[in-house]
Amino acid sequence: MSGKLLPCSPQEIGTLFLFEKLSPEQLGRLCSEGQVELFEPGPVYTQGDPATCFYVMVEGTVVLYSRVGGDDVEVSRTSQRGVYAGAMQAYLGDRVQHVYQNSMHVTEPTRFFVLPAETFSNIMQEWFPMAVHLLEGLFFGSKSAQRAIGQRERLLALGSLSAGLTHELNNPAAAAVRATATLRERVAKMRHKLGVISSGPYPREDLAGLIEVQERTAELVAKAPTLSPLEASDREDTVSDWLDDHGIPDGWRLAPTFVQAGLDVDWLDQVASEVDEQILPAAIGWLNYTVETELLMDEIEDSTTRVSNLVNAAKQYSQLDRAPYQDADVHELLDSTLLMLSGKIGPQIKVVKDYDRSLPKIPSYPAELNQVWTNLIDNAVQAINGAGGEGTLTVRTALVNDRVLVEFRDTGPGVPQEIKGRIFDPFFTTKPVGEGTGLGLDISWRIVVNKHHGTLQVESEPGDTRFQVLLPLTAADDETPEEPA
């Protein structure tokens, strides 16, 4: 938009802090090649449009907005003379795309000194060549460093996740190996015990009854209830006494196995009523091997299922064989990330999941949202560890107006008020040298805001820090799915 043209006074623009060191000749050139314009309340330029002019406020009030999804969010409001905006990077030439990075409005009649972008670039190159070279180096150098450190940040996260996944896989895999070896031994003993029983002078009917008892016992093991330690101890004493009273050797050793399988004195009475007294000790020993075999197979099934779940979580986390842009369940993404980071979270941190399972799927780049969850969970864990290592991490989801809220709450020391406004800045970190790059929250902010048109904010006080991600339920009208950066 254009304003009403007004006379340009070199003396007046020379009072602005941006131009106060310029010579009368330089001020005269600015007035001859630029112009003063008066804008009535309303928009001056719009974010995303070609950056054609450099604006310096002479008098009035300006408000800057940034586009977040479909909304314009106010980021600055000022009446300070000399503030500037617009084509501030015109001196970089064709090496970057020149568009307005925000939208500018005025709330009252406001005068600007307006300089065309090309003129601003030529004057900068001519008057301040050394400063231009320094600014170019700073701009492109920071971009290059940000890309390089961003790659390193992802590699470090990948290494940490790989180590955690290896640790998590090792436990169930080792348990399955141990259970398999023990199962082989128990099956061999069960075959031997069955051979001893079958070679004895026992009627066919007794052996058939024993086989039937074995089948019923295996079914009971699959339905074993969970007992408290006190209940299990009392039942073991009762079962051990019954075994001793019926002349069963090593009753104290057999009792824990029977109790773990949910078998009690009533079951033993049924066995005793259906099995001849002479065969009872051998039958109890054989049934013990049957119970151990069933328990070991349950352990192997549980361990291998856990391995399978970990592999599925890794695939979910990395989004292998999936479209980069899709409708995703945030709870599946959160669960896979928490499982991948479980080794890093550790047993001293309690994880609470406060999920609203009624939430619909949302259009997103799931692999990149997993990176956001990883960064926010990692920050929460480090905050809790810095406060003694014990605490609670609460992951909450909810519907807030027309957006999905994903909140990470930790009981760490909190974010100091003086740095709260800087934590999303690139390269800003409070971690010791070598432990942080300062890009985790910056990357998260860009993924949430720029890629998903959502918001990322923090609320913090000692013992209660909450990082809140708000994501839209529907894709923006101008959303064009693209490959993740």
Side-chain angles (χ1 to χ4, degrees):
M1 296 184 60
S2 298
K4 178 182 178 181
L5 292 180
L6 299 176
C8 179
S9 168
Q11 290 76 22
E12 183 180 34
I13 66 171
T15 63
L16 304 176
F17 66 84
L18 197 62
F19 304 134
E20 61 185 1
K21 297 298 183 181
L22 298 183
S23 66
E25 292 78 12
Q26 291 173 321
L27 293 173
R29 180 178 175 183
L30 287 178
C31 268
S32 65
E33 299 192 21
Q35 57 196 28
V36 173
E37 298 183 26
L38 175 65
F39 288 83
E40 295 299 326
V44 177
Y45 63 74
T46 303
Q47 181 177 338
D49 288 347
T52 58
C53 295
F54 176 67
Y55 295 85
V56 184
M57 189 182 75
V58 179
E59 182 184 33
T61 301
V62 299
V63 183
L64 294 182
Y65 296 89
S66 283
R67 177 63 57 86
V68 179
D71 303 322
D72 285 328
V73 178
E74 181 178 328
V75 295
S76 176
R77 181 185 294 258
T78 182
S79 299
Q80 181 183 356
R81 297 182 72 247
V83 295
Y84 51 89
M88 295 184 295
Q89 296 173 343
Y91 59 86
L92 294 173
D94 297 334
R95 286 172 290 179
V96 297
Q97 183 183 14
H98 295 291
V99 295
Y100 291 119
Q101 301 299 313
N102 46 45
S103 298
M104 185 165 70
H105 290 223
V106 295
T107 59
E108 60 178 311
T110 302
R111 286 189 299 142
F112 288 96
F113 173 71
V114 183
L115 201 59
E118 184 177 357
T119 303
F120 174 60
S121 174
N122 293 335
I123 287 177
M124 286 288 292
Q125 298 280 353
E126 181 181 341
W127 290 354
F128 313 108
M130 182 176 178
V132 168
H133 287 307
L134 291 173
L135 289 171
E136 287 177 344
L138 178 63
F139 179 83
F140 291 111
S142 64
K143 289 285 186 181
S144 177
Q146 190 168 340
R147 282 195 299 269
I149 297 179
Q151 292 173 352
R152 178 178 179 272
E153 185 98 353
R154 287 189 288 271
L155 287 173
L156 288 174
L158 179 61
S160 176
L161 289 172
S162 298
L165 179 61
T166 302
H167 174 76
E168 291 298 315
L169 285 171
N170 181 67
N171 290 335
V177 170
R178 289 193 302 269
T180 302
T182 306
L183 178 62
R184 186 186 302 276
E185 177 187 348
R186 294 298 184 270
V187 169
K189 290 184 176 180
M190 187 167 62
R191 288 198 304 266
H192 174 72
K193 183 68 72 174
L194 180 60
V196 171
I197 294 174
S198 61
S199 63
Y202 307 115
R204 177 186 293 271
E205 293 77 12
D206 289 349
L207 294 178
L210 182 58
I211 296 297
E212 184 181 348
V213 170
Q214 182 193 36
E215 293 297 329
R216 293 205 309 269
T217 301
E219 293 176 2
L220 291 173
V221 174
K223 304 174 183 177
T226 301
L227 302 177
S228 68
L230 184 59
E231 290 173 330
S233 178
D234 290 342
R235 187 172 291 187
E236 286 175 14
D237 291 340
T238 304
V239 170
S240 180
D241 291 342
W242 188 97
L243 294 173
D244 291 341
D245 293 343
H246 289 75
I248 309 299
D250 297 330
W252 60 271
R253 185 177 60 81
L254 303 179
T257 302
F258 289 144
V259 171
Q260 182 183 354
L263 306 176
D264 54 15
V265 171
D266 291 338
W267 169 78
L268 289 170
D269 287 336
Q270 292 179 16
V271 174
S273 66
E274 297 182 26
V275 175
D276 188 87
E277 186 177 352
Q278 293 181 341
I279 199 178
L280 182 61
I284 292 294
W286 186 48
L287 292 175
N288 175 67
Y289 291 138
T290 300
V291 171
E292 284 188 327
T293 300
E294 291 295 323
L295 292 175
L296 287 168
M297 286 192 293
D298 288 343
E299 184 177 350
I300 292 171
E301 181 182 15
D302 180 70
S303 299
T304 52
T305 300
R306 189 174 170 194
V307 170
S308 178
N309 290 339
L310 284 166
V311 172
N312 288 335
K315 291 179 65 178
Q316 172 69 258
Y317 180 84
S318 62
Q319 292 294 302
L320 288 174
D321 305 324
R322 302 190 183 202
Y325 187 81
Q326 60 179 292
D327 290 338
D329 184 341
V330 293
H331 302 117
E332 291 181 359
L333 304 182
L334 290 167
D335 286 342
S336 67
T337 304
L338 286 168
L339 186 55
M340 293 290 288
L341 293 173
S342 58
K344 189 168 190 177
I345 294 173
Q348 290 185 305
I349 297 178
K350 180 183 179 182
V351 177
V352 176
K353 298 179 183 179
D354 183 8
Y355 290 169
D356 179 358
R357 294 287 185 178
S358 66
L359 292 178
K361 293 184 177 182
I362 59 172
S364 64
Y365 295 90
E368 298 196 28
L369 285 183
N370 281 339
Q371 188 175 2
V372 174
W373 311 151
T374 299
N375 290 335
L376 298 181
I377 292 172
D378 183 59
N379 273 7
V381 169
Q382 292 199 22
I384 294 174
N385 288 336
E390 293 187 0
T392 302
L393 168 63
T394 302
V395 183
R396 183 170 74 95
T397 63
L399 185 64
V400 178
N401 297 325
D402 58 345
R403 296 194 171 195
V404 169
L405 167 70
V406 181
E407 180 183 80
F408 300 86
R409 178 183 179 185
D410 69 74
T411 55
V415 180
Q417 191 65 32
E418 60 271 16
I419 68 169
K420 185 178 176 181
R422 302 173 57 198
I423 59 175
F424 295 111
D425 292 349
F427 306 110
F428 178 78
T429 180
T430 59
K431 300 185 181 77
V433 176
E435 292 188 16
T437 61
L439 284 179
L441 291 179
D442 170 59
I443 291 172
S444 299
W445 191 91
R446 286 189 284 114
I447 290 174
V448 172
V449 176
N450 296 343
K451 207 68 179 283
H452 291 85
H453 309 301
T455 59
L456 173 58
Q457 58 198 33
V458 60
E459 298 178 0
S460 182
E461 60 184 45
D464 186 3
T465 297
R466 307 182 186 199
F467 280 89
Q468 298 172 327
V469 178
L470 285 162
L471 299 168
L473 290 172
T474 57
D477 293 339
D478 60 347
E479 178 65 39
T480 302
E482 57 181 279
E483 291 296 326

